[in-house]
Amino acid sequence: AAAFSQSVSHMKFMGIPINGTITQFQAKLTAKGCTYDKRTSSYISSGTRAFKGNMVGNKATIFVYYNTKTKIVYRVKAVINRLTDDIANQKLQQIKGLLSIKYDVVNTQSDDYGEAVTFMPDADGTDTETYGRIDLYLSKDAEDWINQPYNYNIHIDYYDTYNSLRNDMQQLDEL
């Protein structure tokens, strides 16, 4: 299994493969200038750690998801929050444009907040094998009156196909 996982292409977040243990991933994320957010991490579910960092020139909260038993990272999400509606939509279009240069757009949906876009890179350039996906979308705070008008958030959600599948299979085994 270890030999197989070495030959698998993994999705990358900030140039870091979404693979290895949470400790290994955290060390690489920290080397990129991100800092562990102990306070936010204490409020979120087991299997997730929060960090503060920069994403495309914006301050972001970064959530790293890992399997609680194997400690293997399978998903990373950057959230750029506290934006006005106009600024959030401008930044979403900017990030969409940048991601479109690097990855293929495979799905676009519109809702009350704007677009939700899914990007999917392929591992070998043949469009026959994918190694992950990126979901880009806007959300609005549930209690939007608290931070009005700064109540929009951009989510850039990276999923590694191989490790997400391994995580899902382990959870299914527990049922």
Side-chain angles (χ1 to χ4, degrees), residues 8-148:
V8 171
S9 294
H10 290 279
M11 189 70 189
K12 291 182 180 177
F13 176 82
M14 294 177 69
I16 306 166
I18 301 176
N19 192 28
T21 66
I22 182 61
T23 303
Q24 293 166 333
F25 194 87
Q26 182 170 337
K28 292 174 185 174
L29 205 54
T30 302
K32 294 273 187 176
C34 298
T35 56
Y36 176 64
D37 185 345
K38 186 176 182 177
R39 182 172 183 231
T40 302
S41 291
S42 70
Y43 292 110
I44 53 182
S45 65
S46 177
T48 311
R49 287 192 190 165
F51 299 84
K52 295 290 183 193
N54 285 303
M55 187 69 171
V56 198
N58 299 282
K59 289 182 181 180
T61 302
I62 299 165
F63 298 94
V64 180
Y65 299 83
Y66 61 95
N67 183 289
T68 56
K69 291 186 179 175
T70 65
K71 307 297 185 211
I72 300 295
V73 174
Y74 63 90
R75 176 182 169 202
V76 183
K77 178 193 280 197
V79 180
I80 303 166
N81 56 18
R82 303 239 188 315
L83 302 169
T84 64
D85 182 19
D86 290 343
I87 297 297
N89 277 295
Q90 288 173 15
K91 288 185 183 287
L92 181 86
Q93 293 307 314
Q94 174 200 17
I95 294 167
K96 177 185 172 188
L98 292 170
L99 286 170
S100 296
I101 292 169
K102 193 171 181 180
Y103 304 113
D104 294 329
V105 175
V106 294
N107 189 22
T108 302
Q109 296 177 347
S110 294
D111 62 19
D112 293 340
Y113 308 121
E115 283 185 304
V117 186
T118 300
F119 299 87
M120 194 170 285
D122 65 278
D124 59 8
T126 63
D127 292 325
T128 59
E129 177 186 1
T130 59
Y131 56 93
R133 81 170 197 266
I134 303 167
D135 294 335
L136 172 66
Y137 60 94
L138 282 179
S139 69
K140 188 175 181 184
D141 295 340
E143 297 183 15
D144 60 356
W145 57 271
I146 295 174
N147 295 315
Q148 185 72 20

